[in-house]
Amino acid sequence: MTRTAENRAVELPERLSRADLILACMPLLFVCGYALGAVAFDAWAAATAVAAIAGCLPMVDGLFWNPPQAG
């Protein structure tokens, strides 16, 4: 049985929400921060610390600077 646009199993949103972008950016920033930290400091502990700080930035933005609105 083929599915058409009228009877899809999952409805796709019209556009990405801010929360979707935050969730997508967190792991990407973590990986980029780890790579930058590994190149800059040549130590896994420092690289992990840089990655954790970079990965937390969108989380702080989503929770404190631009919190979710009810409704």
Side-chain angles (χ1 to χ4, degrees):
M1 177 176 152
T2 60
R3 295 180 186 249
T4 61
E6 293 82 29
N7 60 3
R8 273 190 258 176
V10 176
E11 291 296 320
L12 299 175
E14 292 295 320
R15 64 181 191 95
L16 293 176
S17 68
R18 184 177 186 87
D20 294 332
L21 293 174
I22 288 172
L23 289 174
C25 286
M26 286 175 65
L28 294 174
L29 286 173
F30 187 89
V31 169
C32 292
Y34 189 86
L36 181 67
V39 169
F41 299 112
D42 197 30
W44 71 268
T48 304
V50 170
I53 291 169
C56 284
L57 291 177
M59 180 179 63
V60 169
D61 173 60
L63 289 176
F64 299 109
W65 290 319
N66 299 304
Q69 303 295 321

